[in-house]
Amino acid sequence: MKVFVTGGTGLVGSNVIKVAREKYGAEVVASVYKRRPASRLHCSLEQVDVTDAEEVRRTLLRHRPDAVIHCAATVDMALLQQDNAHGWRLMVDATRNIARACGECGARMVFVSSDWVFGGGTPPYSEDAVPCPVNYYGLLKVVGETIVSSIGIDYGIARIAAVYGRNWSFPDWVPEQRVTGFGTLPNWMLDQLQKGERIVEWTDYINVEANPTLASDCAEAMLTIVERKKVGTFHCCGRRSVNRVELGKLVAATFGLDPAKVRAARAEEMDPGSVEESVPRKTSLNVALTESTLERRNLPPEEGLAVWKRQLQSGRLMEQRSSEETE
Ligand SMILES: NC(=O)c1ccc[n+]([C@@H]2O[C@H](COP(=O)([O-])OP(=O)(O)OC[C@H]3O[C@@H](n4cnc5c(N)ncnc54)[C@H](OP(=O)(O)O)[C@@H]3O)[C@@H](O)[C@H]2O)c1
């Protein structure tokens, strides 16, 4: 199996590369853009700007992969808010470029989408719930999903949420935490707790609950879509949603740090700063249909955090599954 991964320097993309190579024995070609990986990924690298239709087409026709897993995008909400046109080019035009090129070379496409296609008013959301985004990022993902599912290729839409884990392109990376973010929150929480800092999180404001997703687990789900030739929309996120305080306490418990350092506060006590875009409140995703279709069990938060700990300690991907594959 030959897999082309876009966004090879990213948190998700670097995990897709690693899992594809080490667990699926796939031949992997990955696109890089502005950054070069600081660590060897043992795959071929191609410099590609995914917004450049001709460059995308040329590259994919040259490699003729069996599947493209499209991870390149931005999760910088402020940037999208400031520059709508850039967001459209990067999230919509680029997705169309890749989908068209997949059509030309007969590759399947997995499009990485988000829980933010939902507005957060009526969770939990199942795979076939109607999208209702409340901000520009969510809208761009809905448009991307629509392109991929209607252009006439074999596709999988892989919705993920609140991703954390090890970026194999930059093993020493500690993300800066944006105030409303849920993505990479465990990375930041671990760093804070290891420094002995307190963590104060709200339970009554925006982005209060999501399904934390270990990057290598969602990568495994995406590769299962490819390997088993599944078509449709999948929730490749953590098995269960938690709120921000629960998540902090789970991080502390997993790493043997002090859970008492994590406490809840009302958002008004915390001065979270002005938030210019609309942010969903609770985007819990139901994963039942995904688990039964892919015949694999998504990792719940406790297990995902435990696997991440082993990855950090060993510097290796590590086995994720217990003997029981599905419940
Ligand atoms: N992180 C989360 O919590 C989360 C949650 C839900 C969904 N998602 C989705 O998951 C996917 C991956 O996110 P991530 O967290 O891995 O993001 P990330 O770590 O910020 O990685 C983004 C990647 O996109 C690349 N890229 C940006 N502009 C490009 C361009 N014009 N051409 C080619 N490559 C370009 C970046 O390359 P450079 O490094 O060179 O800039 C980087 O490799 C995205 O679709 C995101 O929307 C993420």
Coordinates of all heavy atoms in Angstrom, one line a residue, residues 7-13 33-35 48-51 71-75 90-91 112-115 137 141 160-163 183-184, ligand 1:
G7 N 0.8 17.6 5.0 CA 1.0 18.1 6.3 C 1.8 17.2 7.2 O 1.6 17.0 8.3
G8 N 2.9 16.7 6.6 CA 3.8 15.8 7.3 C 4.5 16.3 8.5 O 5.0 15.6 9.4
T9 N 4.6 17.6 8.6 CA 5.2 18.2 9.8 C 4.2 18.4 11.0 O 4.6 18.8 12.1 CB 5.9 19.6 9.5 OG1 4.9 20.4 8.8 CG2 7.1 19.4 8.7
G10 N 2.9 18.2 10.7 CA 1.9 18.5 11.7 C 1.7 17.4 12.7 O 2.2 16.3 12.6
L11 N 1.0 17.8 13.7 CA 0.7 16.8 14.8 C 0.0 15.5 14.3 O 0.4 14.4 14.5 CB -0.2 17.5 15.9 CG -0.7 16.6 17.0 CD1 0.5 15.9 17.8 CD2 -1.5 17.4 18.0
V12 N -1.0 15.7 13.5 CA -1.8 14.6 12.9 C -1.0 13.9 11.8 O -0.8 12.7 11.8 CB -3.2 15.0 12.4 CG1 -3.9 13.9 11.8 CG2 -4.0 15.6 13.6
G13 N -0.5 14.7 10.9 CA 0.2 14.2 9.7 C 1.4 13.3 10.1 O 1.7 12.2 9.6
Y33 N 5.9 21.8 3.8 CA 5.6 23.1 3.3 C 6.6 24.1 3.8 O 7.7 24.1 3.2 CB 4.2 23.5 3.7 CG 3.7 24.8 3.2 CD1 3.8 25.2 1.9 CD2 3.0 25.7 4.1 CE1 3.4 26.4 1.5 CE2 2.6 26.9 3.7 CZ 2.7 27.3 2.4 OH 2.3 28.5 1.9
K34 N 6.4 24.8 4.8 CA 7.4 25.8 5.3 C 8.5 25.2 6.2 O 9.6 25.6 6.1 CB 6.7 26.9 6.1 CG 5.9 27.8 5.2 CD 5.4 29.0 5.9 CE 4.6 29.9 5.0 NZ 3.7 30.8 5.7
R35 N 8.1 24.2 7.0 CA 9.0 23.7 8.0 C 9.6 22.3 7.4 O 8.9 21.6 6.6 CB 8.4 23.4 9.3 CG 7.8 24.6 10.0 CD 7.2 24.3 11.3 NE 6.0 23.5 11.2 CZ 5.4 22.9 12.3 NH1 5.8 23.1 13.5 NH2 4.3 22.2 12.1
V48 N 5.4 20.7 -1.2 CA 4.1 21.0 -1.9 C 3.3 22.0 -1.2 O 3.1 21.9 0.0 CB 3.2 19.7 -2.1 CG1 2.0 20.0 -2.9 CG2 4.0 18.5 -2.7
D49 N 2.9 23.0 -2.0 CA 1.9 24.0 -1.4 C 0.5 23.4 -1.9 O 0.2 23.4 -3.1 CB 2.2 25.4 -2.0 CG 1.1 26.4 -1.6 OD1 0.1 26.0 -0.9 OD2 1.3 27.6 -1.9
V50 N -0.3 23.0 -0.9 CA -1.5 22.3 -1.3 C -2.5 23.3 -2.0 O -3.5 22.8 -2.6 CB -2.2 21.6 -0.2 CG1 -1.4 20.4 0.2 CG2 -2.5 22.5 1.0
T51 N -2.3 24.6 -1.9 CA -3.2 25.5 -2.6 C -2.8 25.7 -4.1 O -3.6 26.3 -4.8 CB -3.1 26.9 -1.9 OG1 -1.8 27.5 -2.1 CG2 -3.4 26.9 -0.4
C71 N -4.1 16.0 5.7 CA -4.0 16.6 7.0 C -3.6 18.1 7.0 O -3.8 18.7 8.0 CB -3.0 15.8 7.9 SG -3.1 14.1 7.9
A72 N -3.1 18.5 5.9 CA -2.6 19.9 5.8 C -3.8 20.9 6.0 O -4.8 20.8 5.3 CB -1.8 20.2 4.5
A73 N -3.6 21.9 6.9 CA -4.7 22.9 7.1 C -4.1 23.8 8.1 O -2.9 23.8 8.4 CB -6.0 22.2 7.6
T74 N -5.0 24.6 8.7 CA -4.6 25.4 9.9 C -5.6 25.3 11.0 O -6.8 25.1 10.7 CB -4.3 26.9 9.5 OG1 -3.8 27.5 10.7 CG2 -5.6 27.6 9.1
V75 N -5.2 25.2 12.2 CA -6.1 25.3 13.3 C -6.0 26.6 14.0 O -6.4 26.8 15.2 CB -5.8 24.1 14.3 CG1 -6.2 22.8 13.7 CG2 -4.3 24.0 14.7
L90 N -6.8 27.7 1.6 CA -6.1 26.6 2.3 C -7.0 25.4 2.7 O -6.6 24.2 2.6 CB -5.4 27.1 3.6 CG -4.7 26.1 4.5 CD1 -3.6 25.3 3.6 CD2 -4.0 26.8 5.7
M91 N -8.3 25.7 3.0 CA -9.1 24.6 3.5 C -10.1 24.2 2.4 O -10.5 23.0 2.5 CB -9.9 25.1 4.7 CG -9.1 25.9 5.7 SD -8.3 24.9 6.9 CE -9.5 24.6 8.1
V112 N -9.4 15.0 6.6 CA -9.4 15.2 8.0 C -10.3 16.4 8.4 O -10.0 17.5 8.0 CB -8.0 15.4 8.6 CG1 -8.1 15.5 10.1 CG2 -7.1 14.2 8.2
S113 N -11.4 16.1 9.1 CA -12.4 17.1 9.4 C -12.4 17.2 11.0 O -11.5 16.7 11.7 CB -13.7 16.8 8.8 OG -14.6 17.9 9.0
S114 N -13.4 17.9 11.4 CA -13.4 18.3 12.8 C -14.8 18.2 13.5 O -15.8 18.3 12.8 CB -12.9 19.8 12.8 OG -13.2 20.4 14.0
D115 N -14.8 18.1 14.8 CA -16.0 18.2 15.6 C -16.7 19.6 15.5 O -17.9 19.7 15.7 CB -15.8 17.9 17.1 CG -14.7 18.7 17.7 OD1 -13.9 19.3 17.0 OD2 -14.7 18.9 19.0
Y137 N -14.1 28.4 10.7 CA -13.4 27.2 10.6 C -14.3 26.0 10.4 O -14.1 25.2 9.5 CB -12.6 27.0 11.9 CG -11.9 25.6 12.1 CD1 -10.6 25.4 11.5 CD2 -12.5 24.6 12.8 CE1 -10.0 24.2 11.6 CE2 -11.8 23.4 13.0 CZ -10.6 23.2 12.4 OH -10.0 21.9 12.6
K141 N -14.7 23.5 7.0 CA -14.7 22.0 7.1 C -15.9 21.4 6.5 O -15.8 20.4 5.8 CB -14.6 21.6 8.6 CG -13.2 21.8 9.2 CD -12.1 20.9 8.5 CE -10.8 21.0 9.2 NZ -9.7 20.4 8.4
I160 N -12.1 14.5 13.7 CA -11.3 14.3 14.9 C -11.6 15.5 15.8 O -12.3 16.5 15.4 CB -9.8 14.1 14.6 CG1 -9.3 15.3 13.8 CG2 -9.6 12.8 13.8 CD1 -7.8 15.2 13.6
A161 N -11.1 15.5 17.0 CA -11.4 16.6 18.0 C -10.3 16.6 19.0 O -9.7 15.6 19.3 CB -12.7 16.2 18.7
A162 N -10.0 17.8 19.5 CA -9.1 18.0 20.7 C -7.9 17.1 20.6 O -7.7 16.2 21.5 CB -10.0 17.7 21.9
V163 N -7.1 17.2 19.6 CA -6.0 16.3 19.4 C -4.8 16.6 20.3 O -4.5 17.7 20.5 CB -5.5 16.3 17.9 CG1 -4.4 15.2 17.7 CG2 -6.7 16.1 17.0
G183 N -7.7 21.5 21.5 CA -6.7 20.8 20.9 C -5.4 21.0 21.6 O -5.1 22.2 22.0
T184 N -4.5 20.0 21.8 CA -3.3 20.0 22.5 C -3.3 20.5 23.9 O -2.3 20.7 24.6 CB -2.2 20.9 21.7 OG1 -2.6 22.2 21.7 CG2 -1.9 20.4 20.3
Ligands
LIG1 N1 -5.3 19.8 16.4 C1 -6.6 19.6 16.7 O1 -7.1 19.6 17.8 C2 -7.6 19.3 15.6 C3 -9.0 19.0 15.9 C4 -9.9 18.8 14.9 C5 -9.4 18.7 13.5 N2 -8.1 18.9 13.3 C6 -7.7 18.9 11.8 O2 -6.6 18.0 11.7 C7 -5.8 18.3 10.6 C8 -4.3 18.4 11.1 O3 -4.2 19.4 12.1 P1 -2.9 19.4 13.0 O4 -3.3 19.7 14.4 O5 -2.0 18.3 12.7 O6 -2.3 20.8 12.5 P2 -0.8 21.3 12.5 O7 0.1 20.6 13.5 O8 -0.9 22.8 12.6 O9 -0.2 21.0 11.0 C9 -0.7 21.6 9.9 C10 0.1 21.1 8.7 O10 -0.4 21.8 7.5 C11 0.8 22.2 6.8 N3 0.4 23.3 5.8 C12 -0.1 24.5 6.2 N4 -0.3 25.2 5.0 C13 0.0 24.4 4.0 C14 0.1 24.6 2.6 N5 -0.3 25.8 2.0 N6 0.5 23.6 1.8 C15 1.0 22.5 2.4 N7 1.0 22.2 3.7 C16 0.5 23.2 4.5 C17 1.8 22.6 7.8 O11 3.0 22.7 7.2 P3 4.2 23.7 7.9 O12 4.6 23.0 9.2 O13 5.3 23.7 6.9 O14 3.5 25.0 8.2 C18 1.6 21.5 8.8 O15 2.3 20.3 8.3 C19 -6.3 19.7 10.1 O16 -7.2 19.4 9.0 C20 -7.2 20.2 11.3 O17 -8.2 21.0 10.9 C21 -7.2 19.2 14.2

